[in-house]
Amino acid sequence: MHEFEIINHFFAQHKKNRQDVILGIGDDAALLKTNPDQLLATSVDTLVAGIHFPENTSPQDIAYKALAVNLSDLAAMGVTPAWATLALTLPNNNEDWLKAFSEGFFSLLDQYQMQLIGGDTTRGPLTITVQVTGFVTEQNALRRDQAQAGDLIYVTGTLGDAGLGLQLCQHPEKYNINGADKNYLLQRLHRPDPRVTAGLALQQISHCAIDISDGLAADLQHILTASKVGASLNVDQLPLSAALKNNVSIEQAYQLALNSGDDYELCFTVAAEKAELLKTAFAKLNCEYTCIGKVEQQVGLRLQYADGRKYEIKVQGYQHF
Ligand code: ADP
Ligand code: MG
């Protein structure tokens, strides 16, 4: 297949479901209708084979993750997703690979009634860039710079699973993990579930969130720096899955929960008097969440065990350079 056949067959044919797309794939640019009452929120992320996912990852999972990590960024801003673009750099035009990739991509895109509105297709080492755009009002946006001393700090889901999943991919010989735990951990690595509905529910409850892509400690530190505050966390409250606890020591589990990336859960802050509201809203969503600490005036991140002993941590999120 040639470039235009690839675009047409695998990407342009998929159903088009949005009225705000006046012109989608096929011209020099997409034409989109915006709403004067809302802000546009936009975010882009690139996944490079061998850096962001192991070379042998399935095309479905690569596509799913490329979109999921972007949706996670919108979730962390309280944004309703709408449109996506896809820049694909491919080493060859393998049609089975492209078919599987487009299935993975659209399976997630359709869950959020989004539309693919354009992209670019080039030859080279496998690299996927997805850009997503959505809507939020100025009052409802969740920002990193809005944490206030006294707020409680929460995270959704469990932490550290994707980190152990990655170690399993890199050093399978080191682990002897049962099939169910292994599947769960690899699923957490390859198919992160972007917390879009949680982000939307937080609009009325929180002003401040971030998604955990580089590890809780590093990502929470971004909130603290931007908001010019500090925090204390209780490591015994970190939410850990059974699959994680079954297969590593508790100290390793804390380490993974704090420092490994790729979980794509949300970390957010809530004023203490809104805790009840949070409970009601998240019960409806069936979204697990845990209070792990609180925001304080004094800058810096302080970690301790429940009995008050200090927990020493080297904050070390993933950095490319
Ligand atoms: P141009 O030459 O103007 O850059 P292209 O030939 O790159 O246009 O793309 C033709 C059309 O196909 C454009 O509308 C573009 O947005 C779309 N497109 C290209 N690659 C992709 C892709 N991987 N996914 C979705 N749309 C794509
Ligand atoms: Mg182009």
Side-chain angles (χ1 to χ4, degrees):
M1 275 192 182
H2 296 112
E3 181 185 329
F4 293 117
E5 290 169 316
I6 290 174
I7 297 167
N8 201 29
H9 191 78
F10 294 108
F11 300 107
Q13 298 282 330
H14 194 78
K15 67 174 182 293
K16 297 161 188 72
N17 50 0
R18 294 192 63 96
Q19 308 234 310
D20 53 13
V21 179
I22 307 305
L23 198 56
I25 296 172
D27 212 314
D28 294 310
L31 298 177
L32 308 162
K33 226 184 171 71
T34 55
N35 176 339
D37 300 329
Q38 298 207 293
L39 302 181
L40 284 183
T42 187
S43 179
V44 64
D45 264 309
T46 295
L47 302 194
V48 180
I51 307 278
H52 297 92
F53 54 86
E55 306 266 0
N56 63 356
T57 309
S58 79
Q60 285 95 335
D61 286 348
I62 295 171
Y64 191 98
K65 186 160 180 174
L67 181 56
V69 302
N70 275 282
L71 288 178
S72 177
D73 283 320
L74 294 191
M77 300 292 293
V79 168
T80 305
W83 311 311
T85 61
L86 169 65
L88 256 185
T89 302
L90 303 167
N92 56 53
N93 59 356
N94 180 331
E95 290 177 29
D96 292 334
W97 192 97
L98 278 157
K99 180 166 183 287
F101 180 92
S102 74
E103 281 168 10
F105 190 83
F106 287 115
S107 70
L108 184 56
L109 199 80
D110 290 344
Q111 275 183 45
Y112 293 101
Q113 291 82 46
M114 299 178 71
Q115 191 170 322
L116 180 65
I117 55 163
D120 202 21
T121 305
T122 52
R123 184 194 288 246
L126 181 60
T127 306
I128 301 103
T129 298
V130 175
Q131 184 188 34
V132 287
T133 302
F135 313 111
V136 68
T137 62
E138 192 165 356
Q139 312 82 278
N140 286 346
L142 306 171
R143 302 167 48 138
R144 295 180 184 189
D145 61 2
Q146 297 294 312
Q148 296 199 346
D151 286 356
L152 300 171
I153 302 171
Y154 293 86
V155 290
T156 58
T158 56
L159 301 178
D161 297 328
L164 184 55
L166 182 62
Q167 290 192 9
L168 273 181
C169 285
Q170 291 173 335
H171 308 284
E173 73 288 351
K174 279 197 196 162
Y175 296 90
N176 182 14
I177 297 190
N178 76 46
D181 282 357
K182 189 170 166 185
N183 285 345
Y184 168 83
L185 294 165
L186 292 178
Q187 175 91 2
R188 292 278 290 156
L189 174 66
H190 293 310
R191 296 228 158 200
D193 184 14
R195 296 292 190 177
V196 174
T197 52
L200 293 174
L202 285 174
Q203 285 183 345
Q204 313 301 325
I205 300 166
S206 168
H207 296 293
C208 176
I210 192 167
D211 70 319
I212 305 175
S213 53
D214 296 334
L216 172 67
D219 288 318
L220 175 58
Q221 188 60 57
H222 293 315
I223 286 185
L224 303 181
T225 305
S227 300
K228 302 190 177 70
V229 290
S232 67
L233 288 195
N234 192 332
V235 291
D236 291 322
Q237 280 169 10
L238 291 170
L240 307 173
S241 69
L244 185 67
K245 287 191 283 191
N246 287 345
N247 293 293
V248 296
S249 70
I250 193 70
E251 287 304 321
Q252 282 173 303
Y254 288 159
Q255 179 64 21
L256 284 164
L258 288 164
N259 275 334
S260 67
D262 272 344
D263 282 322
Y264 297 100
E265 296 294 348
L266 295 185
C267 174
F268 56 95
T269 75
V270 173
E273 64 271 18
K274 296 239 167 119
E276 273 306 305
L277 227 77
L278 177 67
K279 195 170 166 186
T280 320
F282 273 44
K284 273 192 221 135
L285 294 182
N286 206 6
C287 178
E288 303 223 358
Y289 69 103
T290 310
C291 181
I292 55 169
K294 64 172 188 300
V295 180
E296 296 170 342
Q297 212 106 56
Q298 186 196 349
V299 296
L301 179 57
R302 293 163 287 281
L303 296 117
Q304 62 202 36
Y305 295 95
D307 62 14
R309 269 179 308 134
K310 206 168 154 198
Y311 177 93
E312 291 292 347
I313 182 200
K314 220 169 115 218
V315 176
Q316 192 184 48
Y318 186 82
Q319 299 204 3
H320 286 274
F321 296 103

